Amino acid sequence: MKGGTATKIILETIFTIAYHKVQQTHQPIDPLSMIKAYENNVLEVTYSKGEEIAVVIDKAGASLRSGGHIYYLSMGSLGIVAMIDASECVPTYGADINDVRGFIDTGYDLLRNKEGDLSSQGECYQISVSHFETDILPSVCNKDIVIVLLSSLHQNHKRCKTIMETCQTKGVFTVCVSYNMSQFDHKCDVDIDFCIPDCNEISPRYDELSAKVVCNAISTGAHVLAGKVYNNHMIDVQVRNSKLYHRAISIIETITNRGLEDSENALLCSIYHVDHVEQSHLVGKTIQDHITMATTKDKIVPMAIVMLLRKCSIQEARDYLLKQPILRRCLREMTS
């Protein structure tokens, strides 16, 4: 279980108990029983569809490897879950922002964010299904995969049916992940329906947690198959903040079995595209300065790893990765 999933379980348990206490419902709630209910009502049910999810992961990985995209379309809060999953792919895997995207039926109306509708800020801020229909749908192709997430709590399923029909005429691989629906009124390439306990305004949203687990599995598995992971480490992590800066150093140190100092120096060589870290790269500069320089760069960690393991220049490391972007294969080909 990923950290965010555990956090959601803990927070929903706390808030549900707090609600009943404030409202004085006198309904006895045992925290341990609530947490156990997630295992019985969500995790076991979700994992029971492992074979179907594995098919989707395989197709999603093939999509990313071929330069295609993964699109989530969803209604209500399931859309927020999918959008969060998509947004995390950029810093976690070094993915392009368009590799995995999420769209919500009502867009910013559902988010109710303080700033209101931000669609005018640019393409990446356009999150409604309407934007998908006008800007993305005309250009989808057989390299793409479209995943719709639906719940019996939400309406407007007919709109999703129309979109999926259009996608299939273009050769797009389509998936429907639904909750407590006997069937979606359209046959997708893969249909996964989960039967979980209904929720109300004061009970945990089991469908949300299940959707999070499914989306996490799809995006993680797809990036593994696309070569974004090496020895269980997310090697294409983008150095966008202090936490990721130190995580990058740790990944380099673990994979190369070099010391902390050598690993940080290799990271800095990769960031500044030099073979040796000179004092001029460090004088008067903070970690934040290094992060700012790294933000626009790609393959920062893989280049550092190749440079250390193969004792080559940073340009040679980059050239090798351009020819073979999957690190495992790159290292093997360099020794063959």
Side-chain angles (χ1 to χ4, degrees), residues 20 55 79 88 109 263 329 331:
H20 284 284
V55 172
E88 290 177 339
D109 289 342
S263 298
R329 296 177 184 174
L331 292 174

Side-chain angles (χ1 to χ4, degrees), residues 147-166:
I147 304 167
V148 60
L149 295 96
L150 302 173
S151 168
S152 58
L153 296 173
H154 307 126
Q155 305 299 319
N156 210 9
H157 298 159
K158 183 177 180 180
R159 184 183 192 185
C160 289
K161 175 185 175 183
T162 302
I163 293 174
M164 297 306 255
E165 287 175 343
T166 302

Side-chain angles (χ1 to χ4, degrees), residues 91-93 233-234 237-239 241-254 267 301:
T92 304
Y93 302 107
H233 294 286
M234 301 169 188
V237 58
Q238 290 190 348
V239 183
N241 55 46
S242 179
K243 182 183 77 171
L244 296 178
Y245 178 86
H246 291 290
R247 180 185 295 177
I249 295 172
S250 177
I251 291 172
I252 296 168
E253 182 181 13
T254 301
L267 178 65
V301 173

Side-chain angles (χ1 to χ4, degrees), residues 290-311:
H290 302 324
I291 294 169
T292 300
M293 178 64 71
T295 300
T296 59
K297 307 289 183 66
D298 63 346
K299 300 291 182 182
I300 293 293
V301 173
M303 282 198 299
I305 293 171
V306 170
M307 184 181 71
L308 285 178
L309 289 180
R310 296 295 170 244
K311 299 179 181 179

Side-chain angles (χ1 to χ4, degrees), residues 73-74 103-105 127-134 159 163:
L73 307 180
S74 39
F103 298 89
I104 308 175
D105 184 31
I127 61 171
S128 73
V129 171
S130 295
H131 285 119
F132 176 84
E133 290 176 303
T134 57
R159 184 183 192 185
I163 293 174

Side-chain angles (χ1 to χ4, degrees), residues 70-142:
I70 301 170
Y71 296 116
Y72 294 123
L73 307 180
S74 39
M75 311 292 164
S77 58
L78 297 185
I80 297 176
V81 171
M83 273 189 52
I84 292 173
D85 180 78
S87 69
E88 290 177 339
C89 292
V90 176
T92 304
Y93 302 107
D96 183 86
I97 198 166
N98 290 309
D99 285 350
V100 185
R101 289 193 63 183
F103 298 89
I104 308 175
D105 184 31
T106 55
Y108 289 96
D109 289 342
L110 177 67
L111 295 185
R112 292 183 292 182
N113 55 306
K114 180 180 178 181
E115 299 83 1
D117 192 335
L118 298 174
S119 300
S120 61
Q121 298 293 318
E123 177 187 355
C124 297
Y125 292 86
Q126 296 169 354
I127 61 171
S128 73
V129 171
S130 295
H131 285 119
F132 176 84
E133 290 176 303
T134 57
D135 301 332
I136 306 294
L137 187 57
S139 60
V140 294
C141 66
N142 58 5

